[in-house]
Amino acid sequence: MRVSFSWLRAYCDPELNAQQVADLLTGSGTELERIEQIGVPEAEGFVIGKVLSVDPHPDADRLRVCSVDTGDGARTIVCGAPNVAAGQMVAVALPGAVMPDGTKLGEAKLRGIRSAGMILSEHELGIGEEHDGIMVLADERPAGAPLSDVFAIGDQVIEVEVNPNRPDCMSVYGVARELHALTGAPLAEDPTGPDAEPSGEGRVEDHVSVEIADPEICLRFTARAFENVQIGPSPPWLKQRLTAAGQRPISNVVDITNYVMLLAGQPLHAFDLDLVAGSRIVVRRAADGERMTTLDGVERTLDPGMALICDGEQPSGIAGVMGGQVSEVDQQTTRVLIEAATWVGPNVLRTSKRLGLRSEASARFERQLHPALAIAAQRLAARLMVELCGARLVPGTIDAYPAALPERTATLRLERMTRLLGSEISSADAVAILTRLGFDPSESAGVVEVVVPPWRDGDVRRETDLIEEVARIHGLDRLPATLPARRNAVGRRPRDQRLRAAAEDAIRGRGLSETISYSFTSQANLDRLRIAEEPLRIANPLGEEQAVMRPTLLTGLLDALAANITRGETDIALFEAARVFAPGTTPAPIADASPGGARAATERMTLGAVLTVAEPGTWRSARRAADFYAARALVEAVLGIYGVEASFAPPQPGARPYLHPARSAVLTHGPRGPEVGWAGELHPLVLRAWDLDGPSGERPVTGFELDLDQLADACPATPTYAAISDFPAVRQDIAVVVAEEVTAENVLAAVRGGGGDLLETVELFDLFRGEQVGAGKKSLALALEFRAPDRTLTDDEVVARREAIATALGEIGGALRA
Amino acid sequence: MADPATRLNQIRSEAEAAIAAAKGTAELEQARVRYLGRKAELTRILRSIGELPAEQRGPVGKGANAVRQVLEALLAGRESALEGAELDAALLADPLDITLPGDPARPGGEMHLITQTRREMEEIFLGLGFTVLEGPEVEFDYYNFTALNIPAHHPARLSQDSLYFDDQVVLRTHTSPMQVRAMEAQEPPIYIVVPGRVYRRDVTDATHVPMFHQLEGLAIDTDMTLADLRGVLLEFVRAMFGTERSIRLRAGYFPFTEPSVEVDVSCFACSATGVLADGRRCNVCKGTTWIEIAGAGMVDPNVLGFVAGNGYDPERVQGFAFGFGIDRIAMLKHGIPDLRLFFSGDLRFLGQFGSGA
Ligand SMILES: [Zn+2]
């Protein structure tokens, strides 16, 4: 909200500069956004002048030569305005005055005649848009008096951000009250206090009737009628205040409604009573799909959640948000109806968000105004209508207020306040603060009883709210810094997090860089991955790119990979540790009851990677492109950290369709256990979809994903010691010839089976194919180590195990090669 | 034939000279053969001791043995010296270009700056006694809003601001839902921090992204105070931004804390002067000397009321909560101009921040 500093000081002047005031407000919760200088930088050189005479310029048709009394005798001023006339009181800038744009006024010769000053338009003073005509002042102050007596020709605007719980601070008087509470500087009388005197015949009910069709959408509706209204421009001081607040002056009646809103916080609406069809106002919900055109000329489509103000024929405004183009006040208006209503805050907020239409009014109503403010604002508006428009206030007020809000009280225990803050604020200080905020406190035996003023009814209801009030005005920054007792506080990182960090560090050590990508992706990306399962879908996504929760990390990883390749990188290895999502299986809980710790969807913490390179080339070694084994090595490193053994099996047809069917593996925890991930090459169609397949497929992309939640669950809690044998091992190397289709795992299983308990380790150290082995066959070289825990093995024992191994290999069609 | 003693002396000086003069192990071997070989004079003398008169045998035998021992020692010493020199010469004949770069280590990957920052923040709070918890990202409306004292019609609940799945399930808009989950699961006292991803329905630009990271804190006991919150946050900012930092608490508004505070840290970029070394206005604090760093406050009794059954009676226990933006802290500390860089996966960005240690 934009607060004119001069206007603010009219209600509370702590004799501080704008920055100091803004700092105080910021500390107490009304945060400064910026301070802006408006109008003239210095008031000096701007005076009231009286036009004594006006003569035509001898050499210029459009210029006049004026004699102007500026208090120090008559001076000649050349003026181009068509409306200048003798007898007018005008605003004059004398030579040396600094204009709002920073230029210093000199004496100028205009077509041969020296001009000792300048008669100003509103535009030149920054309070209006009138370019052509000069500003004509009321005859209130003498010639020569400072122009700043008339209005604040130089001002500052303190722009603040008001918290959603503070409708009162959406007004100049409310901010003045804060300033009063913070500094103790006197607060001027509430401008909504005094009312105007009604006069003349009749009652407001003779002019208009009001019907509230749905009391749920309107807490209070008040209306007053005015006759003999003289529409005209507002006085400069009012224009200046509106302009400073960011409002464009329009006409006295419209300006009054805006002025009251800015000063008191209650939006008003003025109708031309002669244009209100049927002299009738109806407040109702909009029909579904109903349309109306708002003041800004936009046609809006409405729904039944929105409240409308209508006349006898059609809607004239969207309640609390914006008026329409019917029954607007204009130059011909003589009878005016001023409406001040209290709408339902959440409803106004919803309407304004639905329509994408925010206004000064909606910003106030959405914070929930108190119904008491509606009638208070009527009083202030009525006084201004009488004063500035010469209007007659018709006796009576229409006041539909079906459920009057009760006065609220609250209690503050000083001991409780000290216990919560960790620092004592004296009872005298607390009572003084609450008094300045308008809470009417009374203290007895450490207990303060308060009456909550209407403007704080929404957010101050409990003891803790009062503690906040006292603490924030007293100064939160005056609190000491202490440390809590920290009973039972032993900072711990749970095991799954420690394991995950170790896994991340391990694969980072193997050359992979971490990325972070969005948890959502597009359906198109899932299609590219050929995933058919229904994902978890966002109901209100901002776009197709963010419409589904990703069931795999591949979406973000492949996007990042492709982007880096586009930038010219070739050797890329990326990983991400993040959740993947699937629709939940828990039934929806009862609204407003705790789900008792249940999860709303299936989320799995997953470690995923994609890579184009296994070993980057160096001057010492050739580059090795990524392949299945590079991915498998990474997976094995992670499995090693979790202490989990996994089985590698080809993916089932149709499962994980984004994988290369022959160069990838699905990992299970145990041969028939749950799947914990995958490793290997991606399907060529997936690579093509991301433009990652070179012309001849020379750019293989491999990767893996591991379900870290499952691995953490499977991770043995506390490994226990296994005895170390002091007896020597017997090492033997063997070469096994098997058919191509026999897997290494088959061979190792046969060797382990034959070797029995005495076979301590088997390691594959070579794989050979060639003529010596024969077509369709391969030779696996294995290093065996036999050891007994309790004795030195004899040759005979080892020979026996070797024979058993040969037999076991024979069963899978293998043979030991000499 | 000369007197044997004189002859022994002659042999010794000749041999010493020959050993010293040997220029290589081959010449040395020749000297060894000449003076100590089977046909050497000294060998002959030793072999023919028995032919000498009895009174000469002792002295000559002794003298000859002494000479042989001296020569053997000289030979051994000279040999190892010559061998070393010859080896060095041979080694030098096959030099390396030692100016070539060292063996290329497999380059390590990069830790994402968000992860670095998150880990650093976690470590500080671990040291302060907080346990690190994580919570679900797809969250029930109840935990994300209701139990945090954000009632049905509160502005923060508008669908325009959050991404939702149905009327009861949203993508969490903050890490605060874990406050309630944690209190449901653990009786007081409780000290936790909760890092994680959060989501907003924001159109993406340099300062808005639909997904970012927060770190939530919660501490509840019978006597936790707002002054304690101030102390904990002060410890944190000093660990994170330097020991000379101070903090400022301003009144704020959050539905789930009361009193609520906004937390500012004194600017680390300009040492809280508002002006940089080159005289320009500090761009980190915009010349204000303060940087907004967290939202915090005393947990609202209404929030405690939702878990009162698990020992959180608001008349008996009290505590504070705080929330940091991890991305924001990383941005401030490292001068990152655009939030979108964090989520770009761009290796040129990822590689700029070292390991975070
Ligand atoms: Zn700074």
Side-chain angles (χ1 to χ4, degrees):
Chain A
M1 192 186 64
R2 292 169 62 91
V3 182
S4 152
F5 187 43
S6 69
W7 196 359
L8 180 63
R9 275 184 308 178
Y11 289 96
C12 179
D13 186 3
E15 297 181 354
L16 301 170
N17 66 32
Q19 183 66 52
Q20 291 166 322
V21 165
D23 287 347
L24 282 171
L25 292 173
T26 296
S28 60
T30 305
E31 194 175 349
L32 173 69
E33 288 189 329
R34 68 184 69 81
I35 295 176
E36 187 187 323
Q37 176 74 42
I38 58 165
V40 303
E42 292 285 340
E44 207 152 313
F46 293 90
V47 297
I48 296 167
K50 179 166 188 154
V51 182
L52 302 173
S53 66
V54 178
D55 295 304
H57 192 292
D59 297 320
D61 287 349
R62 263 176 287 176
L63 296 180
R64 322 284 176 85
V65 181
C66 309
S67 173
V68 182
D69 175 7
T70 52
D72 50 356
R75 62 174 66 218
T76 300
I77 298 178
V78 178
C79 176
N83 67 329
V84 65
Q88 284 172 339
M89 300 303 286
V90 293
V92 176
L94 302 174
V98 181
M99 300 299 288
D101 65 2
T103 53
K104 193 169 182 176
L105 203 65
E107 282 204 18
K109 237 182 195 177
L110 291 165
R111 292 289 178 99
I113 295 181
R114 187 167 294 278
S115 181
M118 184 173 169
I119 303 178
L120 301 166
S121 71
E122 291 186 349
H123 180 71
E124 280 151 346
L125 285 164
I127 62 164
E129 287 171 351
E130 189 64 57
H131 289 263
D132 300 333
I134 52 150
M135 186 175 171
V136 181
L137 305 174
D139 191 5
E140 285 169 344
R141 300 279 298 141
L147 187 56
S148 53
D149 284 1
V150 181
F151 69 100
I153 57 172
D155 198 359
Q156 282 160 302
V157 174
I158 302 174
E159 198 167 346
V160 291
E161 194 186 330
V162 177
N163 284 330
N165 61 335
R166 295 300 301 274
D168 61 311
C169 285
M170 293 296 286
S171 72
V172 170
Y173 191 70
V175 176
R177 190 188 293 111
E178 287 283 291
L179 203 49
H180 164 65
L182 287 161
T183 63
L187 179 68
E189 188 197 356
D190 187 338
T192 64
D195 204 347
E197 272 306 310
S199 61
E201 296 298 303
R203 300 273 309 165
V204 63
E205 289 83 1
D206 305 335
H207 294 260
V208 68
S209 70
V210 171
E211 181 198 335
I212 313 288
D214 188 342
E216 261 185 37
I217 52 176
C218 181
L219 303 181
R220 188 175 200 176
F221 192 98
T222 69
R224 282 180 168 188
F226 298 85
E227 286 191 312
N228 304 335
V229 178
Q230 286 145 46
I231 302 289
S234 297
W237 60 266
L238 201 160
K239 284 186 175 178
Q240 189 274 333
R241 287 178 174 179
L242 290 190
T243 309
Q247 299 261 318
R248 194 163 57 88
I250 293 165
S251 70
N252 49 9
V253 172
V254 176
D255 292 353
I256 285 168
T257 61
N258 285 328
Y259 182 83
V260 172
M261 172 181 75
L262 294 168
L263 177 57
Q266 167 75 47
L268 307 175
H269 192 72
F271 297 86
D272 183 330
L273 247 179
D274 292 315
L275 300 179
V276 174
S279 297
R280 194 165 157 252
I281 285 183
V282 180
V283 175
R284 63 167 171 85
R285 286 176 188 274
D288 202 7
E290 187 170 358
R291 286 158 182 273
M292 77 162 283
T293 303
T294 39
L295 261 179
D296 51 9
V298 180
E299 185 178 66
R300 314 273 176 181
T301 306
L302 312 173
D303 70 42
M306 303 173 182
L308 291 180
I309 303 165
C310 311
D311 63 14
E313 288 171 1
Q314 59 179 322
S316 58
I318 302 172
V321 180
M322 192 174 274
Q325 293 174 320
V326 296
S327 47
E328 269 188 272
V329 171
D330 62 20
Q331 295 302 318
Q332 278 68 52
T333 301
T334 59
R335 279 201 311 149
V336 168
L337 179 87
I338 287 188
E339 162 250 299
T342 311
W343 307 108
V344 178
N347 181 260
V348 171
L349 181 65
R350 176 189 169 279
T351 301
S352 114
K353 289 262 186 180
R354 285 266 162 122
L355 296 175
L357 179 61
R358 300 215 2 116
S359 63
E360 292 280 341
S362 70
R364 288 168 174 80
F365 282 122
E366 71 189 25
R367 289 172 159 84
Q368 189 58 63
L369 299 180
H370 192 278
L373 192 58
I375 203 71
Q378 286 283 12
R379 293 194 289 265
L380 173 58
R383 279 198 295 125
L384 291 166
M385 287 293 288
V386 171
E387 213 173 285
L388 303 179
C389 311
R392 177 176 84 83
L393 169 60
V394 175
T397 303
I398 291 176
D399 188 359
Y401 188 15
L405 292 191
E407 192 176 69
R408 209 183 290 275
T409 57
T411 305
L412 166 63
R413 293 164 290 175
L414 295 169
E415 156 278 320
R416 183 83 181 90
M417 179 162 73
T418 305
R419 190 152 73 83
L420 198 71
L421 298 179
S423 169
E424 192 176 342
I425 298 174
S426 77
S427 125
D429 282 353
V431 165
I433 286 167
L434 290 169
T435 305
R436 295 203 294 272
L437 287 170
F439 281 87
D440 192 14
S442 57
E443 191 254 330
S444 146
V447 176
V448 182
E449 302 281 351
V450 307
V451 179
V452 179
W455 60 87
R456 298 305 302 278
D457 182 73
D459 76 312
V460 181
R461 301 193 161 187
R462 306 162 301 168
E463 181 174 58
T464 187
D465 302 327
L466 290 171
I467 293 172
E468 176 173 73
E469 287 307 300
V470 174
R472 75 181 178 89
I473 299 295
H474 184 258
L476 288 166
D477 224 31
R478 291 163 71 175
L479 282 175
T482 54
L483 281 178
R486 289 189 273 181
R487 295 179 197 93
N488 296 357
V490 179
R492 291 278 293 147
R493 194 193 291 282
R495 190 149 179 265
D496 60 327
Q497 293 179 39
R498 279 182 281 136
L499 286 164
R500 184 168 82 231
E504 289 171 3
D505 292 348
I507 62 168
R508 211 174 55 249
R510 284 163 172 77
L512 279 74
S513 287
E514 186 186 10
T515 67
I516 294 179
S517 56
Y518 293 146
S519 304
F520 22 63
T521 188
S522 61
Q523 177 61 47
N525 262 354
L526 299 193
D527 295 343
R528 286 184 197 113
L529 289 170
R530 318 187 326 140
I531 294 174
E533 284 92 355
E534 180 61 16
L536 184 59
R537 252 174 233 288
I538 296 172
N540 63 336
L542 258 182
E544 285 309 309
E545 293 302 304
Q546 304 174 358
V548 299
M549 300 305 289
R550 57 181 177 185
T552 161
L553 298 179
L554 279 174
T555 55
L557 288 168
L558 286 174
D559 284 347
L561 182 75
N564 279 301
I565 283 177
T566 304
R567 285 187 284 263
E569 302 273 352
T570 51
D571 293 352
I572 303 167
L574 299 171
F575 78 93
E576 180 167 10
R579 308 271 176 85
V580 299
F581 302 84
T585 48
T586 355
I590 304 150
D592 290 350
S594 172
R599 300 287 175 124
T602 304
E603 298 181 26
R604 316 291 309 179
M605 181 55 80
T606 301
L607 182 66
V610 290
L611 42 152
T612 63
V613 67
E615 293 274 4
T618 76
W619 68 277
R620 296 266 281 165
S621 57
R623 175 184 191 273
R624 273 203 305 117
D627 60 7
F628 169 80
Y629 300 104
R632 177 167 174 154
L634 293 166
V635 163
E636 282 170 342
V638 175
L639 292 173
I641 281 163
Y642 282 83
V644 172
E645 290 203 14
S647 301
F648 290 70
Q652 294 295 313
R656 301 196 191 260
Y658 42 84
L659 297 183
H660 190 300
R663 296 184 188 168
S664 68
V666 167
L667 279 71
T668 53
H669 180 226
R672 275 174 190 70
E675 287 192 9
V676 294
W678 59 269
E681 277 188 37
L682 296 178
H683 198 284
L685 291 177
V686 170
L687 300 188
R688 186 179 302 165
W690 263 273
D691 273 338
L692 294 168
D693 57 337
S696 50
E698 75 276 15
R699 195 187 272 151
V701 176
T702 69
F704 69 85
E705 279 183 285
L706 288 171
D707 181 335
L708 298 186
D709 289 336
Q710 285 207 59
L711 292 184
D713 288 346
C715 177
T718 311
T720 47
Y721 174 74
I724 297 165
S725 171
D726 283 334
F727 295 94
V730 177
R731 268 201 63 124
Q732 293 213 336
D733 292 348
I734 59 171
V736 183
V737 178
V738 289
E740 271 296 350
E741 58 271 17
V742 178
T743 66
E745 195 172 78
N746 299 150
V747 171
L748 291 174
V751 170
R752 286 202 189 93
D757 288 346
L758 295 182
L759 179 61
E760 195 173 65
T761 61
V762 191
E763 227 170 87
L764 181 125
F765 66 91
D766 195 19
L767 174 66
F768 180 76
R769 295 182 176 91
E771 272 176 44
Q772 303 95 308
V773 180
K777 296 197 164 186
K778 60 189 173 187
S779 168
L780 281 66
L782 306 174
L784 312 181
E785 255 183 18
F786 297 93
R787 197 198 302 269
D790 54 351
R791 64 189 189 281
T792 303
L793 288 177
T794 63
D795 286 349
D796 287 350
E797 282 177 300
V798 174
V799 168
R801 288 337 311 162
R802 235 185 107 117
E803 279 165 6
I805 287 170
T807 308
L809 286 170
E811 282 163 16
I812 57 166
L816 284 184
R817 196 154 64 106
Chain B
M1 192 173 167
D3 160 40
T6 313
R7 184 61 198 147
L8 281 174
N9 280 336
Q10 283 170 348
I11 291 171
R12 178 179 168 169
S13 6
E14 280 170 32
E16 280 175 356
I19 289 166
K23 288 196 177 58
T25 48
E27 279 182 36
L28 190 69
E29 178 59 15
Q30 287 168 14
R32 192 190 64 76
V33 170
R34 177 150 9 114
Y35 295 103
L36 292 179
R38 279 191 302 116
K39 293 176 184 164
E41 191 179 351
L42 186 63
T43 312
R44 275 206 321 274
I45 292 171
L46 280 164
R47 213 180 280 143
S48 55
I49 293 281
E51 296 162 20
L52 291 175
E55 70 278 10
Q56 283 186 14
R57 281 177 204 164
V60 173
K62 241 182 178 173
N65 268 319
V67 170
R68 192 176 70 175
Q69 278 164 17
V70 166
L71 293 184
E72 277 173 349
L74 273 176
L75 274 168
R78 183 67 185 149
E79 184 172 23
S80 71
L82 286 173
E83 266 175 7
E86 280 169 17
L87 183 59
D88 281 356
L91 293 176
L92 284 169
D94 183 21
L96 280 184
D97 180 355
I98 55 166
T99 66
L100 278 169
D103 217 4
R106 172 74 212 256
E110 310 293 346
M111 195 193 298
H112 197 286
L113 183 58
I114 298 283
T115 303
Q116 293 180 25
T117 309
R118 174 176 58 78
R119 286 198 191 176
E120 187 178 357
M121 294 171 74
E122 286 172 2
E123 264 182 38
I124 295 167
F125 283 113
L126 283 165
L128 285 164
F130 289 76
T131 286
V132 183
L133 293 186
E134 294 175 319
E137 294 169 29
V138 177
E139 189 52 283
F140 287 111
D141 179 277
Y142 176 85
Y143 288 120
N144 197 76
F145 295 124
T146 309
L148 290 169
N149 197 33
I150 307 173
H153 297 292
H154 194 277
R157 269 180 108 129
L158 287 178
S159 61
Q160 278 83 354
D161 301 323
S162 52
L163 292 159
Y164 64 89
F165 299 95
D166 59 45
D167 58 1
Q168 290 193 38
V169 179
V170 296
L171 266 174
R172 67 176 173 192
T173 56
H174 44 189
T175 40
S176 312
M178 255 321 262
Q179 287 187 24
V180 183
R181 283 184 179 270
M183 287 190 286
E184 281 185 349
Q186 184 195 327
E187 289 176 15
I190 187 169
Y191 290 80
I192 58 164
V193 288
V194 184
R197 296 180 173 206
V198 301
Y199 303 85
R200 298 277 166 89
R201 196 167 180 272
D202 266 338
V203 177
T204 306
D205 62 27
T207 54
H208 296 87
V209 281
M211 183 190 94
F212 51 101
H213 300 80
Q214 287 185 341
L215 183 131
E216 188 86 6
L218 175 74
I220 309 267
D221 201 344
T222 53
D223 53 0
M224 200 78 64
T225 67
L226 193 58
D228 290 339
L229 169 65
R230 187 188 181 105
V232 165
L233 292 174
L234 184 63
E235 291 295 323
F236 170 79
V237 301
R238 289 188 169 167
M240 193 79 195
F241 299 107
T243 48
E244 65 280 18
R245 297 279 76 80
S246 53
I247 59 169
R248 175 174 83 168
L249 300 187
R250 293 182 281 111
Y253 169 74
F254 306 104
F256 38 95
T257 49
E258 187 89 7
S260 296
V261 296
E262 301 274 2
V263 186
D264 297 339
V265 60
S266 61
C267 184
F268 48 82
C270 62
S271 301
T273 59
V275 183
L276 297 175
D278 61 7
R280 283 179 304 137
R281 189 185 76 152
C282 175
N283 55 336
V284 175
C285 65
K286 311 273 181 277
T288 65
T289 76
W290 294 101
I291 307 167
E292 192 171 317
I293 203 86
M298 298 304 287
V299 177
D300 195 289
N302 290 359
V303 174
L304 297 176
F306 281 99
V307 285
N310 200 31
Y312 293 91
D313 173 2
E315 273 294 308
R316 207 184 62 75
V317 299
Q318 58 189 42
F320 58 76
F322 54 81
F324 289 93
I326 299 175
D327 316 57
R328 178 173 161 72
I329 288 179
M331 270 182 117
L332 289 168
K333 263 190 107 162
H334 300 273
I336 289 156
D338 190 329
L339 265 176
R340 290 171 292 196
L341 284 165
F342 286 130
F343 309 102
S344 64
D346 189 336
L347 287 162
R348 297 168 303 177
F349 172 78
L350 298 173
Q352 293 186 16
F353 306 102
S355 68

